[in-house]
Amino acid sequence: MDDFVRVSVTVNGRKFTRAVSPRLSAADFVRHELGLTGTHVGCEHGVCGACTIVVDGSVTRGCLMFAAQLAGSEVETIEGASESGRVAELQAAFVERNALQCGFCTPGMILTAAEFVGRHQESNRAEIREALSGNICRCTGYEAIVDAVENVLKAKR
Ligand code: FES
Ligand code: FES
């Protein structure tokens, strides 16, 4: 067992304890150890945002953290955010505006957008685009995504 570290972490409100490789990323941990495959893995270099998770309330790139660093943390993945209803308005707005095509970027995009929407009552398109600039989408050209986030902010007012 010398090559493994024991990690206890709360994910989507449930506590898990696993023995993991010290080199396992947080993104691979939630996907492969916990079966939460809504967290996607793209670049594995902190560039694309597909691996976005929320760690102790902060939007985080799961590929840039080791699973061992999650010990004692509260983690939320897209599955938890969906089940709790926290991102329901954004999900509905994305569907309504057709703000996704292949969907690979969408979980990370939604979690990042939720953090932004939670901190703003209103915003302009440039600020929304800037807030989402760490999440890369190969399909949509971003217009519909910005529209969807803008619509959620408008509905809040
Ligand atoms: S897979 Fe983590 S930022 Fe691309
Ligand atoms: S919808 Fe395909 S990468 Fe964004």
Side-chain angles (χ1 to χ4, degrees):
M1 285 298 277
D2 284 349
D3 293 329
F4 289 84
V5 290
R6 202 170 174 79
V7 178
S8 290
V9 56
T10 302
V11 180
N12 300 332
R14 285 183 57 201
K15 189 153 184 182
F16 297 90
T17 299
R18 295 283 189 280
V20 299
S21 161
R23 299 182 63 82
L24 184 72
S25 76
D28 284 337
F29 175 74
V30 297
R31 282 181 62 81
H32 301 304
E33 292 287 333
L34 307 185
L36 298 167
T37 54
T39 302
H40 294 158
V41 175
C43 66
E44 296 185 84
H45 284 92
V47 175
C48 74
C51 62
T52 300
I53 55 176
V54 181
V55 179
D56 294 329
S58 297
V59 167
T60 300
R61 299 223 183 290
C63 72
L64 294 185
M65 276 188 86
F66 291 119
Q69 293 175 290
L70 295 176
S73 296
E74 298 265 349
V75 176
E76 183 189 48
T77 68
I78 191 63
E79 289 88 350
S82 283
E83 283 160 18
S84 70
R86 187 171 81 82
V87 294
E89 290 88 355
L90 277 165
Q91 288 172 313
F94 270 56
V95 169
E96 189 178 333
R97 188 56 192 83
N98 290 325
L100 64 152
Q101 291 177 32
C102 77
F104 189 78
C105 70
T106 311
M109 198 70 84
I110 294 258
L111 288 176
T112 302
E115 199 257 349
F116 182 78
V117 166
R119 283 190 292 108
H120 293 80
Q121 283 297 323
E122 55 188 294
S123 186
N124 60 45
R125 295 181 68 80
E127 288 168 340
I128 294 169
R129 186 68 197 89
E130 172 66 24
L132 300 176
S133 61
N135 292 77
I136 292 174
C137 177
R138 297 171 300 183
C139 306
T140 65
Y142 301 100
E143 282 298 304
I145 292 172
V146 174
D147 288 348
V149 175
E150 195 174 36
N151 289 343
V152 170
L153 283 169
K154 280 181 187 158
K156 273 177 79 173
R157 295 203 287 275

